[in-house]
Amino acid sequence: MLSDRRQRVLAALIEEYVARALPVGSRTLTERYHLGVSPATVRNELSVLEDGGYIAQPHTSAGRVPTDHGYRAFVDNLLATDLASSDERYSAVADQLKRSASELDALLERTSSALTRLTDCLSIVIAPSVLNLHIKQLSLISLSPMRALVVLVTEDGQVFNRQMEFAEEVSGDDLARVQRFLGDVFTGKSLSEIEDGLGQGMQAALHDPLVRMALDEVLSCLQESDLSRAHRLGVSSLLSQPEFSHSEALLPVMQVLEDETVLLHILDDAARQSCGAGAPCVRIGSENDAAELSGVSVVASRYGRGDSAGVVAVIGPTRMNYSKVIRAVRMASSALEDV
């Protein structure tokens, strides 16, 4: 546990490093920050912080830079103190977002844009998983004896459709029979339950090729929709950061972000780690499970209700403005909480 004075010195060093991306010396801290102690005391505190692994000296004659351990101590203190109260500026942005879009996709896109604008980092907003929503209506519509359209309506009004093509002609009566069965068994149940083969009469029905085909088409349609529901903006913002001035430094990060399955797992796993009091989860550098993300920090939060909750996240250099980013992610989560 750091003393109050060492926390102030560490916070000042991090603030300076975030602003300028240059190693910070004791003279800079003494001249620019009102720490209330002598330059000799600042030098001594920096030595103690370095011995504790909170800061490091890249070169013998250079100043110090924060380590992941130092950022963690700073963020934990930030979450416990400075972020305890709400911020009216961010609350106003959240209210504006709620009023600005009536459709979910438009709201997600505008929220992602606001996050990028507020943080100068990469923002990602992932819609709630459709696999955990409940079915309101499922219809099979005959287009021809060899083709039919599966139409699925979820409880929140989302509509998904997919065409089925048959190897042999299928009558309208057979389609109506399958539709009645699916409606009786699955209306009001979640799509995950369908995938798991749950529900009354399910096992016997799987012996019917038409039922099995309809289910396969429904699940394929929804799984594809799930993997395309990430709204991301701000890659250019990352490229503008000194840490990523060379595109090859950003390449490992982008490779992770382009893999939708890995991305969903990483962000959802991070967002599930509650930091208390509604605060987003912060994973700093080496704390990320994916080695490719060891050079960035991920600030993530879930929004919505239950298993169908979505994820809002910001990814940026470990030298990010944590106070601003945490407030922005909390704002975005608030704007989306009722979707």
Side-chain angles (χ1 to χ4, degrees), residues 108 111-112 115 123-127 229-231 303 311-312 336:
L108 298 181
T111 301
S112 182
L115 273 176
S123 68
I124 302 174
V125 180
I126 300 175
R229 297 179 69 75
H231 297 254
Y303 67 88
V311 176
V312 56
L336 297 169

Side-chain angles (χ1 to χ4, degrees), residues 45-82:
E45 297 292 26
L46 290 176
S47 295
V48 173
L49 288 170
E50 186 174 358
D51 290 342
Y54 296 94
I55 59 177
Q57 195 169 23
H59 309 289
T60 304
S61 59
R64 274 85 163 187
V65 300
T67 63
D68 289 354
H69 183 49
Y71 283 125
R72 169 49 59 195
F74 172 74
V75 168
D76 287 347
N77 184 59
L78 195 67
L79 291 169
T81 56
D82 295 354

Side-chain angles (χ1 to χ4, degrees), residues 140-150 162-166 170 175:
L140 300 179
I141 302 171
S142 178
L143 301 177
S144 75
M146 303 296 291
R147 285 193 304 151
L149 186 68
V150 179
R162 187 179 177 93
Q163 286 195 26
M164 293 192 302
E165 295 190 1
F166 309 121
V170 173
L175 278 181

